[in-house]
């Protein structure tokens, strides 16, 4: 989701893992099914900001609740400048990284996957990242503490946009090189594309023509795409285009994955609490499951303790997506 919209809304082991078993019974048969945790990237106009005032971390007591509902992956959104402040070549901030480590260790101790996601849109201190060597160094620093934890995933950056296509490819490759270069070889890496990494524009935006060139010596790339169901695909409305729009917007990306022998994951999706959106959500998840030779999973946007009455909040116990939408997306017992 685009950060300006996100901020406004906020302020008003292995694939064969047996836990949780409910996920294996799910009608859409996804290997990964989970939720974004968002809040540690809030207040990005005030850096580094104050914990508890400008940004927050996530309520660990909700993680077992989600797992008991059948989720097994959590995308932990964070801010690069707080994790590695001042310079891409710098060290980890001990306090912010300590909070991240606590979250990752708890999630993975329960047998679920923790995806580390810098929610920066390919920017660092509001400037497009042009220093690929610096980006490689950043990722080497971030990945090193987790290199022996196979339940960690690395998301290179959230929603690159309005950047030269070649730069987006080069930054993704730099991230891969940095992660693998420090010996983190067992983890999945999820490259993201340009144009907000939309599934519906993956081919038309130029991602399809360029992103397949990425190389990983461990062959553990899962291409991350995002897909919302409103008219402009921004995820800012509870009105879905029609009851099949989720599936429709996945078709071209599915064909690209199949033709290029790649794997994909939907890193963000959401829709409103109404009949049209619910039908679209169910249909899209079923489509992903029916194409599980290339699609590995999907993560809802979003949970987090500061979302309040946000239209898609999945935060237990009273978030509208948690109370009204999630039960309808789970299979009958």
């Amino acid at each position: 989701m685009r950060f300006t919209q996100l901020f406004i809304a906020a302020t008003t082991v292995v694939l064969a893992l047996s836990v949780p078993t409910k996920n294996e019974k799910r009608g859409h048969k996804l290997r990964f099914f989970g939720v974004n945790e968002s809040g540690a990237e809030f207040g990005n106009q005030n850096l580094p900001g104050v914990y508890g005032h400008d940004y927050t971390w996530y309520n660990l007591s909700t993680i077992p609740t989600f797992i008991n509902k059948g989720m097994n992956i959590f995308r932990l959104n964070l801010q690069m400048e707080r994790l590695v402040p001042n310079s891409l070549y710098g060290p980890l901030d001990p306090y912010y990284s300590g909070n991240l480590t606590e979250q990752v260790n708890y999630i993975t101790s329960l047998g679920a996957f923790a995806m580390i996601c810098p929610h920066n849109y390919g920017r660092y201190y509001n400037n497009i990242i042009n220093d690929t060597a610096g980006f490689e160094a950043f990722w080497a620093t971030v990945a090193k503490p987790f290199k022996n934890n196979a339940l960690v995933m690395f998301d290179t950056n959230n929603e690159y946009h309005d950047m030269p296509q070649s730069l987006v490819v080069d930054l993704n490759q730099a991230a891969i090189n940095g992660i693998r270069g420090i010996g983190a070889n067992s983890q999945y890496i999820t490259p993201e594309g340009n144009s907000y990494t939309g599934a519906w524009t993956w081919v038309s935006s130029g991602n399809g023509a360029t992103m397949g060139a990425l190389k990983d010596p461990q062959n553990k790339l899962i291409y991350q795409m995002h897909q919302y169901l409103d008219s402009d695909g921004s995820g800012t409305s509870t009105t879905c285009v029609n009851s099949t729009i989720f599936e429709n917007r996945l078709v071209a990306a599915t064909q690209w994955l199949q033709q290029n022998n790649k794997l994909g994951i939907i890193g963000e999706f959401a829709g409103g609490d109404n009949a049209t959106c619910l039908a679209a959500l169910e249909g899209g998840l079923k489509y992903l499951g029916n194409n599980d030779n290339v699609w590995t999973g999907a993560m809802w946007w979003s949970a987090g303790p500061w979302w309040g009455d946000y239209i898609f909040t999945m935060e237990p116990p009273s978030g509208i997506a948690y109370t009204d939408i999630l039960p309808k997306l789970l299979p009958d017992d």
Side-chain angles (χ1 to χ4, degrees):
M1 174 167 288
R2 302 176 190 181
F3 187 89
T4 53
Q5 296 156 343
L6 177 156
F7 183 72
I8 291 169
T11 59
T12 51
V13 214
V14 291
L15 286 176
L17 186 72
S18 61
V19 177
T21 56
K22 283 187 178 181
N23 194 46
E24 296 172 354
K25 296 187 292 183
R26 186 179 307 280
H28 42 71
K29 302 178 297 185
L30 297 174
R31 286 177 279 178
F32 301 118
F33 184 69
V35 68
N36 280 264
E37 293 281 0
S38 174
E41 80 282 23
F42 284 10
N44 68 330
Q45 297 304 311
N46 187 18
L47 296 172
V50 177
Y51 179 31
H53 181 267
D54 298 297
Y55 66 93
T56 190
W57 283 94
Y58 310 122
N59 187 350
L60 293 179
S61 68
T62 66
I63 303 302
T65 301
F66 283 129
I67 290 175
N68 288 335
K69 292 292 185 182
M71 294 186 179
N72 67 349
I73 187 169
F74 300 87
R75 184 173 180 249
L76 304 177
N77 291 273
L78 57 87
Q79 194 70 29
M80 289 177 65
E81 297 88 346
R82 292 179 179 135
L83 186 60
V84 178
N86 302 319
S87 168
L88 292 169
Y89 297 91
L92 293 167
D93 176 85
Y95 301 106
Y96 195 81
S97 66
N99 284 318
L100 173 63
T101 300
E102 178 186 31
Q103 303 264 321
V104 169
N105 287 349
Y106 182 71
I107 291 167
T108 59
S109 75
L110 298 178
F113 288 82
M115 180 181 290
I116 296 173
C117 173
H119 201 100
N120 277 69
Y121 304 89
R123 274 75 173 164
Y124 187 67
Y125 288 102
N126 294 320
N127 295 313
I128 290 175
I129 302 169
N130 290 294
D131 183 357
T132 54
F135 199 59
E136 180 174 337
F138 167 86
W139 266 112
T141 299
V142 172
K144 188 173 182 180
F146 306 106
K147 70 176 185 177
N148 296 318
N149 190 339
L151 293 177
V152 174
M153 294 188 186
F154 301 115
D155 179 349
T156 67
N157 225 255
N158 181 72
E159 294 187 349
Y160 303 92
H161 68 90
D162 298 292
M163 299 165 63
Q165 189 66 32
S166 60
L167 177 60
V168 172
V169 175
D170 289 346
L171 288 172
N172 275 288
Q173 188 63 60
I176 296 165
N177 296 346
I179 293 164
R180 299 303 186 215
I182 52 84
N185 295 321
S186 61
Q187 296 84 2
Y188 289 98
I189 300 173
T190 68
E192 294 200 29
N194 211 352
S195 300
Y196 299 94
T197 205
W200 66 328
T201 60
W202 186 261
V203 175
S204 63
S205 67
N207 287 322
T210 57
M211 291 289 288
L214 295 173
K215 304 296 183 184
D216 175 20
Q218 301 304 317
N219 194 30
K220 294 178 76 71
L221 298 184
I222 303 178
Y223 286 79
Q224 184 176 152
M225 306 178 199
H226 298 172
Q227 193 55 66
Y228 293 96
L229 314 182
D230 44 358
S231 60
D232 62 358
S234 65
T236 56
S237 170
T238 58
T239 300
C240 295
V241 174
N242 57 52
S243 62
T244 62
I245 191 62
F246 195 2
E247 176 179 347
N248 297 344
R249 287 180 172 175
L250 295 172
V251 171
T254 303
Q255 292 171 345
W256 181 86
L257 292 168
Q258 292 169 337
Q259 292 165 1
N260 290 276
N261 196 29
K262 307 295 184 185
L263 296 176
I265 190 167
I266 297 298
E268 295 181 17
F269 77 101
D273 182 21
N274 56 71
T276 300
C277 288
L278 287 168
L281 289 165
E282 291 183 76
L285 291 175
K286 189 168 294 185
Y287 178 83
L288 291 173
N290 289 339
N291 290 278
D292 62 356
N293 62 319
V294 291
W295 289 111
T296 62
M299 288 166 278
W300 182 270
W301 182 272
S302 178
W306 281 8
W307 278 107
D309 60 358
Y310 171 59
I311 57 175
F312 301 136
T313 178
M314 185 66 78
E315 186 72 2
S318 58
I320 189 169
Y322 179 77
T323 59
D324 292 7
I325 297 177
L326 181 60
K328 297 180 178 72
L329 300 183
L330 297 173
D332 295 330
D333 292 331

